[in-house]
Amino acid sequence: MNSPIAAPRDRMSDVSISDQIETFLRKRQSQIMIINLIITAVFSLLMFDVRLSFATDDSTYIDTAWNFLHHGTYPNFHGALYPIFLTFMLWITGGTHLLLFKSCGIVFLVLHNYFFYRALRGRIPYTLLFAALFVGAINAYILAYGSATFSEALYLMVQALAIWAFTSLTDKLENPETTLSNSLKNWILFGLAFFVLSLAKNVAIFSFMGTLVHFGLKKQWKYIIIAIIFFAGIKVPFEIMLKLTQKRPPETQLDQLLRKDYYDPKSPKEDLDGYMDRFYVNYGNYVSVHIFKMLGFRGKGIPQVWTFDKMKEIQDPELKMEPSFFYSALWLGLIILTLYQSFRHNHYILYLTLHTGALLGVTFFALQGFWNQDRLMVVVLPLMVITMLYGIYALAYNKQYDFMKRIVLGICILMLLIETGTTVQAMKQNKAFKGLLKQDKFYAYDPQISSYLHVCDWVSKNYTDTAKIMCSRPVEAGVFGGFGRFSRMPKDIPQTSSPDTLISFLRSKKINYMIIDQGFQGPAQIYEFLQKAAPNRMEILYADESEAPAAFIKLK
C-alpha cells in the first residue's frame, strides 16, 4: 500500500529541486528538528500573554482543578485531562500561580512538535512533515494559545503521542510474523494513548473511531476487535468507576449541546434540520474562514485570544470574514484527493485524514453555530498542512506530474513566509509580553479590568470572612482572589424597592459582600440602588484608585 516517500532518480542531474530538498531534509532531519524546537520555544516566549482572556473557560479550568483538589469533584464538564494536570500543579505549588500555569503551555508545544516528528518521521514525505512542524513552531494562533490556560496546547501534545502510538502499532502489524503476544506492548500503549486523548477533549473519542475506519479500509477486521478491546478495556472501567463514585451534575456539556439554545435549560432538543444547519454554518466558518486565515491565505488578521479584542474580530463588519464557497470547495476537493491518494500510497496519511475528518465532523454537528471560535481549529492545524497538500504531492508518483511536488514545495514556502510575517507583526503588538518580563500579573489589561482584578487581589490578602462575595466575574475573581468565596449575581434576585428585602435575600444566599466595577452590570446596579435608597446599609472596605475604580463593599 505504501510507495516510497520520495521517488529515487538514476542520475543527480535529473533530480529536481523538490527532490533535492526532500533528500536534504531526510539527511539533516535531526539538526533541523533541533532548530525547530528552539524556534518553538523562543517564538512561544515572544508571543507570551500574561492575561486571562476573560472568556471564562480558561479561568474555569483552574476553578475546576481547585474544586477537584479541595472537594474531590471530578472535572467531567469539559475534557478532564487539563483540569487534572492543573490539580497536580495546584497541589505541588500550594496556590494559583498563573504565570507558571501559562508557562506549561510552552513546554506542551515543544513536546508536541517533538512527538509529532517521532510519530511521522520516515513515514510521510519530509517536505510535508517539516512544513507541518514549522507551522507548529511559528504559527501565531498556535503560539498564542500556548500561553493561555486553555487546553489546546496540552491536547496537541497528547494528540501527537496518540498518533505516535498508532503509527508504531501499524508498523508492528505490517510484519507478517507479528502475533498478539509479541505486539501486546504496542496494543496497550495504543489503548492507553487514545484513552488519555479522550480525557483531553470529550469529542476526541471520535479520533479512536478513525482508527477503526482505518483498519476497516485495509480489511483488517480482527484488528478492529482487538483495538476496541484494548481501548474499551481502559475506558469502560474508568467510566463505571466515575459513575459509582461521582454525582452526576445537574446537566452535562452534552445536555447543553443537544438543545437548540445552549444557555436555556428549557430549550427543546435540536432536530435533524437543526443539526444540518449547524454543520453547514460551522463548515463555512471553520473551514473557509478560520483554517485558511490561520494558514495565512485569507486576510491579514493577528490572533486575538483576549476576549474583548476577539469579539471585535468576530463581530466588526470591517474585520469579520464571511464564509467563502471557493475556499470551502477547495478544501473539500483537496481532502478528497488526499483520501484517494493516501489509500493508494500511504496509510499513515490515510489515518491522519480520517483522524482529522472525524474530529471536524463531530465538531461541525455538535456545536451551535454562534461559537465560531478559531481555537477549535488550532488542534488540527499542523495536520491540515499534511492532509490538504498530500493529494497534490502524491500526483508526482506519476512521472508526468512530477511538477506537482514543486507546486507543493512552493505553497509550503509561501505559507511559512506569510505566517512568519504575521507572527513577527503579532509579537510587535504583544504588549502583554512585557508583563512577563516585569513579572506583573496585572499588565496590559484594560483599566476597568485591571481595577477589578486589583480589588480581587486585595481581597485574597485581607479578607477572611466565610461569607460569599457577589461579583460580576466570579471565576476570574477566583484566580486572583482565591476560589470558593466568589459568587455570581443570583438569577432570582427580587425586584423590590425595599433595601431590607434585598439585603435579606442576599444574606439568605450567604452573600454579605460584593465587588462593584465599571466594566459590568449586576452588582453595580445593586450598589446604585442602595446608594440612593439606603447608603447607610453599605460600607466601602477597599477602593482601587485607578482610572476605572472598583470597590469591595460590605452589606450592613
Side-chain angles (χ1 to χ4, degrees):
M1 191 173 191
N2 292 322
S3 67
I5 290 175
R9 299 297 185 96
D10 294 329
R11 295 179 299 171
M12 284 300 296
S13 59
D14 293 332
V15 177
S16 67
I17 183 65
S18 55
D19 286 328
Q20 290 179 47
I21 290 177
E22 179 74 17
T23 301
F24 173 80
L25 294 174
R26 175 173 55 81
K27 290 182 176 180
R28 301 291 184 181
Q29 57 181 290
S30 297
Q31 297 93 320
I32 296 171
M33 196 58 216
I34 292 172
I35 294 172
N36 176 275
L37 297 179
I38 293 172
I39 291 175
T40 305
V42 172
F43 275 40
S44 296
L45 281 171
L46 294 174
M47 282 290 292
F48 198 92
D49 192 337
V50 297
R51 300 172 297 180
L52 288 174
S53 75
F54 273 72
T56 301
D57 277 6
D58 53 344
S59 302
T60 300
Y61 282 120
I62 305 175
D63 178 44
T64 304
W66 187 89
N67 282 313
F68 188 33
L69 178 63
H70 292 278
H71 302 298
T73 306
Y74 181 76
N76 57 2
F77 189 83
H78 295 87
L81 186 63
Y82 188 53
I84 290 173
F85 168 77
L86 291 176
T87 300
F88 175 72
M89 295 297 294
L90 287 169
W91 177 67
I92 63 175
T93 61
T96 303
H97 298 278
L98 188 59
L99 288 179
L100 176 61
F101 296 172
K102 284 173 164 284
S103 299
C104 291
I106 298 176
V107 179
F108 294 147
L109 291 185
V110 172
L111 290 176
H112 160 260
N113 277 16
Y114 173 74
F115 294 135
F116 195 83
Y117 164 72
R118 292 299 301 269
L120 297 172
R121 64 175 182 175
R123 297 178 172 105
I124 71 172
Y126 281 99
T127 302
L128 299 182
L129 174 57
F130 278 108
L133 286 169
F134 277 97
V135 164
I138 66 173
N139 183 272
Y141 290 85
I142 293 176
L143 297 173
Y145 282 104
S147 64
T149 48
F150 288 99
S151 63
E152 274 64 34
L154 176 61
Y155 181 87
L156 278 166
M157 183 190 73
V158 175
Q159 178 178 247
L161 278 168
I163 293 172
W164 190 9
F166 180 74
T167 56
S168 299
L169 172 64
T170 54
D171 282 352
K172 186 78 172 179
L173 299 178
E174 289 291 318
N175 188 336
E177 297 181 1
T178 296
T179 63
L180 181 59
S181 60
N182 64 26
S183 63
L184 186 61
K185 174 184 173 182
N186 298 89
W187 280 112
I188 292 173
L189 290 175
F190 164 82
L192 182 62
F194 279 89
F195 164 71
V196 174
L197 187 64
S198 73
L199 295 182
K201 282 186 180 292
N202 294 331
V203 298
I205 192 171
F206 287 89
S207 299
F208 170 72
M209 302 299 181
T211 67
L212 304 185
V213 175
H214 177 269
F215 286 134
L217 289 175
K218 295 178 68 179
K219 299 182 180 180
Q220 296 172 326
W221 312 116
K222 67 176 181 180
Y223 292 151
I224 293 178
I225 298 173
I226 297 173
I228 292 173
I229 290 173
F230 278 92
F231 176 74
I234 303 173
K235 183 71 172 177
V236 172
F238 180 80
E239 293 296 334
I240 292 174
M241 181 270 293
L242 287 182
K243 190 171 184 179
L244 293 176
T245 59
Q246 297 289 320
K247 292 182 179 179
R248 178 181 168 86
E251 62 177 4
T252 64
Q253 186 182 32
L254 180 61
D255 294 328
Q256 292 179 318
L257 291 174
L258 289 178
R259 59 191 185 220
K260 291 180 179 291
D261 187 335
Y262 183 89
Y263 292 106
D264 183 5
K266 298 179 181 179
S267 175
K269 299 295 183 184
E270 190 65 270
D271 54 24
L272 180 60
D273 288 341
Y275 284 117
M276 296 305 296
D277 287 340
R278 287 187 188 186
F279 186 90
Y280 177 79
V281 171
N282 288 331
Y283 180 89
N285 283 328
Y286 290 114
V287 168
S288 73
V289 176
H290 293 309
I291 289 174
F292 283 94
K293 178 182 69 175
M294 289 190 286
L295 289 176
F297 294 111
R298 287 200 72 183
K300 299 178 181 179
I302 303 299
Q304 300 286 5
V305 180
W306 205 50
T307 300
F308 299 143
D309 296 330
K310 170 63 69 179
M311 295 310 296
K312 295 175 187 176
E313 180 183 301
I314 293 176
Q315 297 176 354
D316 190 327
E318 295 183 3
L319 298 176
K320 182 181 178 182
M321 292 184 195
E322 295 297 333
S324 162
F325 175 80
F326 170 77
Y327 284 106
S328 297
L330 174 63
W331 181 86
L332 183 60
L334 292 173
I335 295 301
I336 291 173
L337 181 60
T338 291
L339 279 171
Y340 172 73
Q341 295 287 10
S342 61
F343 180 79
R344 296 178 63 208
H345 299 298
N346 192 306
H347 71 83
Y348 303 108
I349 291 181
L350 175 62
Y351 169 67
L352 296 182
T353 310
L354 294 172
H355 172 103
T356 307
L359 280 177
L360 294 182
V362 69
T363 299
F364 296 165
F365 277 116
L367 292 183
Q368 288 88 346
F370 72 88
W371 288 113
N372 197 20
Q373 296 184 16
D374 54 30
R375 73 186 182 101
L376 299 175
M377 296 296 101
V378 163
V379 297
V380 296
L381 204 57
L383 295 171
M384 280 293 175
V385 175
I386 298 170
T387 57
M388 289 172 64
L389 295 179
Y390 178 76
I392 303 174
Y393 187 95
L395 289 173
Y397 294 148
N398 185 329
K399 289 185 178 181
Q400 72 179 98
Y401 297 115
D402 188 68
F403 66 92
M404 287 297 183
K405 283 195 283 189
R406 294 193 291 276
I407 291 177
V408 171
L409 178 62
I411 292 172
C412 291
I413 293 173
L414 176 63
M415 176 180 64
L416 293 176
L417 288 174
I418 293 172
E419 291 193 29
T420 301
T422 300
T423 302
V424 170
Q425 186 180 352
M427 291 173 183
K428 291 179 179 179
Q429 297 180 11
N430 183 19
K431 298 178 182 179
F433 174 66
K434 296 179 181 178
L436 175 64
L437 299 178
K438 295 181 178 182
Q439 295 186 326
D440 184 355
K441 59 184 178 181
F442 300 107
Y443 196 84
Y445 285 104
D446 278 358
Q448 63 190 35
I449 298 299
S450 177
S451 180
Y452 175 72
L453 295 179
H454 271 93
V455 171
C456 296
D457 186 63
W458 183 90
V459 168
S460 71
K461 300 170 182 175
N462 298 275
Y463 168 79
T464 57
D465 198 329
T466 57
K468 294 285 186 181
I469 304 170
M470 182 173 64
C471 59
S472 53
R473 295 277 176 156
V475 185
E476 288 85 351
V479 174
F480 281 79
F483 291 105
R485 56 176 63 187
F486 297 98
S487 66
R488 199 177 301 277
M489 183 173 176
K491 293 182 179 180
D492 55 344
I493 196 163
Q495 300 296 318
T496 177
S497 59
S498 169
D500 291 335
T501 301
L502 176 60
I503 292 176
S504 295
F505 170 80
L506 293 176
R507 285 180 174 166
S508 71
K509 301 287 186 179
K510 298 182 180 180
I511 297 172
N512 280 0
Y513 303 86
M514 63 182 182
I515 295 176
I516 59 166
D517 65 289
Q518 297 183 13
F520 302 97
Q521 298 298 314
Q525 293 175 328
I526 294 177
Y527 172 77
E528 291 173 2
F529 167 70
L530 291 176
Q531 192 176 39
K532 292 179 181 178
N536 61 321
R537 301 303 302 273
M538 298 185 300
E539 178 185 359
I540 298 179
L541 299 181
Y542 173 75
D544 176 67
E545 299 178 358
S546 64
E547 297 179 40
F552 181 50
I553 308 293
K554 179 180 180 180
L555 301 174
K556 296 182 178 180

